[in-house]
Amino acid sequence: MSDLVNEKAIKELLGFNFFIPSYQRGYRWTEQLVKDMLDDIKEFIDNKNQNQNEFYCIQPLVVKNKNKNDWEVIDGQQRLTTIYIILAYLRNNLKNENGIPLYKLEYETRQDSENFLKEIMSNDNKSEDNIDYFYMIQ
């Protein structure tokens, strides 16, 4: 069983590609849920001991390896998408030295969500076009 559990810091996920299969529901996190996650992260940072090996756990992200850096998301799509949105906000700092984004999301049935997220900071006026976009912008 221990082979199946592998804790990673968010920075260790950089360079991975996450595939969101069709059975995953659309994004529905509210502003309050995002604030709660950010508050939890801030509280962790404020209370962190001097141990540099500690990192904040966002709850389980269950994935299945498709190949080297490609992972199918079984559970955790809402959290992973929220992290992606937060990182998109910081996008100028989130590219490697070649200007390539550090990780990618691909949706099986909501393919336009991938494009929407790539340009989320300029898509505010599209939030009424799609219920997922509405929650992502919130």
Side-chain angles (χ1 to χ4, degrees):
M1 182 70 154
S2 63
D3 292 354
L4 301 177
V5 177
N6 190 356
E7 293 181 345
K8 292 189 178 293
I10 291 172
K11 68 181 179 182
E12 294 177 85
L13 301 178
L14 303 178
F16 286 27
N17 299 316
F18 296 99
F19 176 73
I20 314 299
S22 61
Y23 62 80
Q24 292 284 337
R25 67 186 175 116
Y27 184 77
R28 296 295 183 272
W29 266 31
T30 62
E31 180 179 345
Q32 187 60 52
L33 289 170
V34 176
K35 284 181 178 179
D36 290 346
M37 176 190 267
L38 291 171
D39 287 345
D40 286 347
I41 293 169
K42 182 181 182 322
E43 182 179 333
F44 172 80
I45 291 168
D46 290 347
N47 295 326
K48 185 177 177 182
N49 293 330
Q50 298 301 326
N51 183 349
Q52 295 299 317
N53 293 325
E54 288 184 346
F55 58 87
Y56 176 76
C57 292
I58 62 165
Q59 300 298 318
L61 173 62
V62 181
V63 295
K64 179 174 82 175
N65 189 247
K66 293 175 72 169
N67 58 49
K68 186 177 180 188
N69 287 328
D70 294 335
W71 300 85
E72 180 177 327
V73 177
I74 296 168
D75 184 42
Q77 182 263 136
Q78 303 288 311
R79 292 181 300 276
L80 194 59
T81 299
T82 300
I83 291 168
Y84 188 90
I85 291 168
I86 293 167
L87 295 177
Y89 184 77
L90 304 170
R91 187 172 313 260
N92 289 339
N93 298 320
L94 296 175
K95 297 188 178 187
N96 69 16
E97 59 276 359
N98 297 321
I100 298 170
L102 297 176
Y103 83 85
K104 173 183 167 186
L105 288 175
E106 178 183 346
Y107 294 82
E108 182 175 16
T109 57
R110 291 176 294 280
Q111 295 160 346
D112 290 339
S113 291
E114 180 181 348
N115 293 328
F116 181 82
L117 285 170
K118 285 179 183 175
E119 303 298 326
I120 193 168
M121 301 320 296
S122 62
N123 279 330
D124 193 26
N125 60 342
K126 291 185 176 182
S127 66
E128 294 181 14
D129 294 350
N130 177 298
I131 190 71
D132 289 353
Y133 301 169
F134 172 82
Y135 281 96
M136 289 173 180
I137 288 292
Q138 294 306 309

